[in-house]
Amino acid sequence: MSPELVCFFLCALSAPNLSGILGGDALLPAPQSISILSTNMKHFLTWSPVIIQGATVRYSVEFQGEYEREYANGSWIPISECSLTTATLCNVTQDISASVPYRLRVRAELGSARSPWGTTEGFFTRAMTSLTPPQLRVLADGHHLLVELADMGPSFQFHVLYWKKGQESRVQQKVTREVSSVVHLDTMEAGAEYCVKAQAHVEAINRSSSFSPTQCVRAQGDTSLWLVTALISSAGFALAALTLLFLTWKISRIFQYFFCPTAVLPDTLKEPEPPTQLILRGSEEAEQCDLMVVVVPSEVLQLWIQKAL
């Protein structure tokens, strides 16, 4: 192990006793890997931790804007939310509030010992932030085309593009600042499909994000037209059924007339009286014939026999 490393650890362990002799700034190493992470106008200063075995190191952050650099003798302003913090991340969004170059610095503190300041390389402006496409949800409420946009902060407005599918050359645009609520875009044609995409825009830095993925929805069909069509179809079906029944009955009567005609006797063949009367009258005459007895004289009988011989 090198003598410098051994000296560092010995100085770290004896910091409470030696800070007054050697000076606080020489006891702790400055934080390293200082950088700014900035996305969607939210800015965070980050750094690597200073590790002292068995001790809790705290950090303090300061910033310097154009005014402090040009008109306040190069002074630095402490960030109260990041004073004596144990975290290795500091939210500096509220402090970087103008479109001017900023510098930031951080130092480690352990008891009364303080490290040198670690400063960001170069300047940072909020125009350097990374903008992401907005998150959206497209809805179809009857014939209404709606979009719901996720909140990205007060600095953002949204450019929403929408069009009827198949008519991409007729794109319409709506600019809105409304978030976390449903925004009405247009009235859709029944059964048509519409597509929507959006981009975020920050007017303060005059920059826009890329467009979100396109989302499409289909409008509902016309309920009244469907109802009228259904009623007309039902009436037509009922009329066709009745017509079919009537034609079936009429055709059966025609077939019956041609193939099974009804026989009609002419008047000359009709009996003037019922058959029962004729039968009774014939039976009476037969009875009268059966009762008739003819008496022939003997002389006439003998004469008839002689002639026959």
Side-chain angles (χ1 to χ4, degrees), residues 89-107:
L89 179 143
C90 177
N91 188 345
V92 296
T93 303
Q94 298 300 322
D95 304 285
I96 302 179
S97 56
S99 297
V100 298
Y102 286 87
R103 297 188 72 185
L104 294 104
R105 65 184 186 179
V106 58
R107 71 179 177 186

Side-chain angles (χ1 to χ4, degrees), residues 6-290:
V6 173
C7 181
F8 169 75
F9 281 109
L10 290 176
C11 291
L13 293 174
S14 59
N17 298 324
L18 300 178
S19 60
I21 300 175
L22 300 178
D25 291 345
L27 296 178
L28 291 175
Q32 302 296 317
S33 304
I34 302 172
S35 62
I36 296 178
L37 303 178
S38 180
T39 303
N40 294 333
M41 299 297 288
K42 295 179 176 62
H43 321 298
F44 297 88
L45 181 69
T46 65
W47 59 91
S48 59
V50 174
I51 299 175
I52 301 299
Q53 190 69 30
T56 300
V57 179
R58 297 181 181 274
Y59 307 93
S60 294
V61 178
E62 295 180 349
F63 75 92
Q64 183 186 74
E66 185 179 49
Y67 178 83
E68 291 79 21
R69 191 167 49 254
E70 300 292 338
Y71 305 103
N73 298 322
S75 61
W76 292 78
I77 299 177
I79 299 177
S80 58
E81 294 82 1
C82 302
S83 179
L84 297 177
T85 178
T86 57
T88 57
L89 179 143
C90 177
N91 188 345
V92 296
T93 303
Q94 298 300 322
D95 304 285
I96 302 179
S97 56
S99 297
V100 298
Y102 286 87
R103 297 188 72 185
L104 294 104
R105 65 184 186 179
V106 58
R107 71 179 177 186
E109 301 184 20
L110 181 59
S112 59
R114 295 178 177 87
S115 74
W117 288 100
T119 308
T120 54
E121 294 182 3
F123 294 98
F124 173 80
T125 64
R126 61 182 186 174
M128 298 166 64
T129 188
S130 174
L131 300 179
T132 62
Q135 296 181 359
L136 58 85
R137 187 164 66 102
V138 182
L139 307 170
D141 184 9
H143 294 164
H144 300 288
L145 179 62
L146 310 174
V147 63
E148 185 177 4
L149 297 159
D151 188 6
M152 297 181 68
S155 302
F156 286 83
Q157 65 182 11
F158 302 96
H159 297 172
V160 183
L161 303 184
Y162 59 95
W163 63 92
K164 183 180 178 182
K165 195 167 186 179
Q167 298 181 2
E168 286 75 8
S169 60
R170 301 175 61 183
V171 175
Q172 301 184 64
Q173 176 176 295
K174 185 167 187 176
V175 179
T176 180
R177 290 184 179 272
E178 299 181 46
V179 293
S180 299
S181 61
V182 176
V183 179
H184 181 267
L185 296 179
D186 202 353
T187 300
M188 301 187 291
E189 297 179 10
E193 189 173 3
Y194 286 75
C195 298
V196 180
K197 65 179 180 179
Q199 70 174 173
H201 179 78
V202 181
E203 189 173 354
I205 61 175
N206 194 26
R207 284 188 55 209
S208 300
S209 71
S210 58
F211 278 97
S212 64
T214 302
Q215 297 185 31
C216 300
V217 292
R218 185 178 297 277
Q220 298 178 2
D222 193 337
T223 304
S224 58
L225 179 61
W226 178 87
L227 183 60
V228 170
T229 304
L231 291 175
I232 293 177
S233 300
S234 300
F237 179 78
L239 182 62
L242 292 176
T243 304
L244 182 61
L245 290 175
F246 175 76
L247 291 176
T248 302
W249 175 79
K250 192 68 176 177
I251 292 173
S252 65
R253 293 298 303 270
I254 293 174
F255 273 93
Q256 184 179 4
Y257 177 78
F258 280 104
F259 295 101
C260 302
T262 302
V264 179
L265 293 175
D267 294 338
T268 55
L269 297 179
K270 292 182 179 179
E271 297 182 2
E273 295 182 359
T276 54
Q277 294 182 2
L278 294 174
I279 294 172
L280 291 175
R281 183 174 298 176
S283 61
E284 291 177 357
E285 293 177 355
E287 290 177 356
Q288 291 177 2
C289 293
D290 292 340

